[in-house]
Amino acid sequence: MADATPETKEPYLVSAGYVDSFPAPGLRQIFRHITGHNDEGKSIFLSSDHGSHHRVMGEQQAVANILYSTQETPVELNGNVDIEKAAAEEPPLHYHNGSIVRMIDFAPDVESPMHRAVSIDYGIVVSGTFELILDSGEKRVMRQGDISVQRATAHKWKNVSGAGTEPGRMMWILLDCKDVYAGGVKMEGYLGDLEKEYVGRGVSK
């Protein structure tokens, strides 16, 4: 498909091979700072790094960086139990009764499959410009600093940074929610072609 035009190119092959590690080319490296307490009760920095559980997605079209996750609410902070759990395993899409902070770098012009997480997700554009497209066909353009509140709704994302010529970065904070009903019908989660990205990744709790 090397000679395909942008109009006919398979949507999930756009920018294939662009990403092989975090950060994506053209985006800055980030730092994650985790705090705690010393024996005197003073606040200290326990670690400064670049996040954990990096995973290249699709045909090297995006890369996910799990900045943190928790598996229970309220969270057990004593003895650094939460830090150990977050480091021990790469999380699923979301944790029941837990939380996930997920950053994803997108290659230029990449569009995700339509999907639904049964959770409440706060999405923040960190760098670039994105289209948020709902299964109703409604869409909004989001720019750096804009925020979406996804309430278990089906949607997809398209990186339109630089009119589809530049990488983009988003961050999501996923929290659990109760079962969601619309018109008396229970809304079920589905991942579409994203399913393969989460096989064997932790357990939704």
Side-chain angles (χ1 to χ4, degrees):
M1 300 194 61
D3 59 348
T5 65
E7 290 73 26
T8 61
K9 190 183 296 183
E10 290 292 335
Y12 305 137
L13 295 181
V14 171
S15 293
Y18 186 88
V19 179
D20 60 12
S21 62
F22 186 89
L27 297 175
R28 66 174 290 270
Q29 182 59 273
I30 59 94
F31 283 88
R32 173 184 68 171
H33 306 289
I34 299 178
T35 64
H37 298 92
N38 62 18
D39 291 340
E40 297 176 350
K42 299 293 186 181
S43 301
I44 59 172
F45 289 104
L46 297 177
S47 64
S48 295
D49 56 31
H50 304 305
S52 55
H53 306 303
H54 300 170
R55 179 179 289 263
V56 175
M57 305 174 72
E59 301 299 323
Q60 294 185 290
Q61 297 154 294
V63 56
N65 183 353
I66 303 301
L67 298 179
Y68 212 66
S69 64
T70 63
Q71 300 179 26
E72 59 193 0
T73 302
V75 181
E76 176 60 77
L77 302 183
N78 294 300
N80 296 334
V81 169
D82 60 312
I83 296 176
E84 293 177 3
K85 287 183 176 181
E89 63 179 17
E90 187 176 2
L93 181 64
H94 70 97
Y95 278 125
H96 294 310
N97 298 318
S99 67
I100 296 176
V101 184
R102 177 180 286 112
M103 179 175 285
I104 299 182
D105 288 0
F106 290 79
D109 206 33
V110 165
E111 180 177 318
S112 78
M114 186 69 68
H115 59 285
R116 183 202 313 276
V118 183
S119 56
I120 183 164
D121 309 340
Y122 307 128
I124 305 111
V125 178
V126 178
S127 178
T129 306
F130 288 80
E131 278 187 349
L132 170 57
I133 305 160
L134 306 183
D135 64 352
S136 64
E138 292 186 71
K139 63 177 68 176
R140 294 289 188 272
V141 174
M142 295 177 55
R143 297 177 174 82
Q144 185 175 24
D146 289 346
I147 300 170
S148 67
V149 180
Q150 289 280 354
R151 302 174 61 252
T153 46
H155 64 283
K156 61 182 177 179
W157 297 94
K158 183 174 183 180
N159 176 22
V160 295
S161 305
T165 65
E166 300 174 356
R169 172 177 289 168
M170 288 204 60
M171 182 170 68
W172 290 271
I173 301 161
L174 289 80
L175 304 175
D176 197 17
C177 67
K178 295 182 179 180
D179 289 342
V180 177
Y181 295 84
V185 177
K186 182 179 177 180
M187 297 293 98
E188 301 288 351
Y190 63 91
L191 294 177
D193 284 350
L194 287 173
E195 183 75 38
K196 64 181 182 296
E197 308 293 348
Y198 296 93
V199 172
R201 295 175 56 178
V203 178
S204 293
K205 301 186 179 189

